[in-house]
Amino acid sequence: DAGVIQSPRHEVTEMGQEVTLRCKPISGHNSLFWYRQTMMRGLELLIYFNNNVPIDDSGMPEDRFSAKMPNASFSTLKIQPSEPRDSAVYFCASSLVGADIQYFGAGTRLSVL
Amino acid sequence: AQSVTQLDSHVSVSEGTPVLLRCNYSSSYSPSLFWYVQHPNKGLQLLLKYTSAATLVKGINGFEAEFKKSETSFHLTKPSAHMSDAAEYFCVVSDRGRDDKIIFGKGTRLHILP
């Protein structure tokens, strides 16, 4: 198995632009998590899905952030408009529903100038 | 409510000496506890997991952790540090069987001195 695949690995954009991060979970996994990691705040859970349904989005910072999971093999995290304070590494992780071991992707490093 | 506290944000040890990374947790139930490792510019990788079968859990790369209920601790140890152990380590408490929560600690960055 290829593991959790995230794209792009690096994204540099200008303030005000729309950014879309993509994630392909491990085949057969039906829970998907989006995290943000910064030096100041550490690792933060933004949102997670079970069976493509958002369960807890209380970690999403504000309305500029949105996440979708149109099918079991694909999810997106969108920031519109982006701001410099959104600069961080964004991780996607997947697991089986109810299982507690998560498998992480390599992350997307986002820089908003 | 669950919580996890990693007592040190940075730990420095010399190569070949023991490693101790401290973690305390709080949980209303019988939690599952984990340690994850994150090497520079990489995603998190599971080191080991405790699920009540045995209090001493062995993980990859020579790491182990001991669950002490009386102290609500789950400290990570390794007898002899290697340069390749330099990374950030996260203690995690999970109760996905009940309230579906997974809580990550703030992380401890381990530095290995030559």
Side-chain angles (χ1 to χ4, degrees), chain A residues 9 31 33 35 37 43 48 50 56 91 95-96 98-102 104-106 109, chain B residues 32 34 36 38 41-44 46 49 51 88 90 94 96-97 100-102 104 106:
Chain A
R9 290 296 311 278
S31 277
F33 306 79
Y35 291 90
Q37 186 178 41
L43 193 67
Y48 79 92
N50 283 349
D56 183 356
F91 288 102
S95 74
L96 294 170
D100 42 23
I101 295 177
Q102 296 182 20
F104 283 76
R109 183 173 296 276
Chain B
S32 295
F34 309 77
Y36 281 80
Q38 183 182 25
N41 301 312
K42 302 283 188 183
L44 280 72
L46 181 69
K49 171 184 175 179
T51 55
E88 187 149 21
F90 294 89
S94 166
R96 291 206 77 193
D100 213 26
K101 293 290 186 186
I102 298 177
F104 282 77
K106 298 280 187 194

Side-chain angles (χ1 to χ4, degrees), chain A residues 9-77:
Chain A
R9 290 296 311 278
H10 301 273
E11 176 81 35
V12 180
T13 191
E14 292 187 345
M15 183 174 64
Q17 296 298 305
E18 178 179 295
V19 175
T20 299
L21 311 181
R22 297 173 175 80
C23 176
K24 177 178 167 57
I26 291 173
S27 177
H29 282 186
N30 46 13
S31 277
L32 185 139
F33 306 79
W34 281 101
Y35 291 90
R36 178 172 67 177
Q37 186 178 41
T38 61
M39 291 289 290
M40 292 297 294
R41 301 172 68 93
L43 193 67
E44 304 172 275
L45 176 65
L46 299 177
I47 186 172
Y48 79 92
F49 297 83
N50 283 349
N51 297 311
N52 312 338
V53 177
I55 302 300
D56 183 356
D57 65 353
S58 60
M60 295 285 264
E62 49 198 272
D63 292 344
R64 296 184 299 106
F65 285 68
S66 62
K68 293 183 179 179
M69 193 163 186
N71 56 62
S73 58
F74 183 65
S75 177
T76 59
L77 177 68

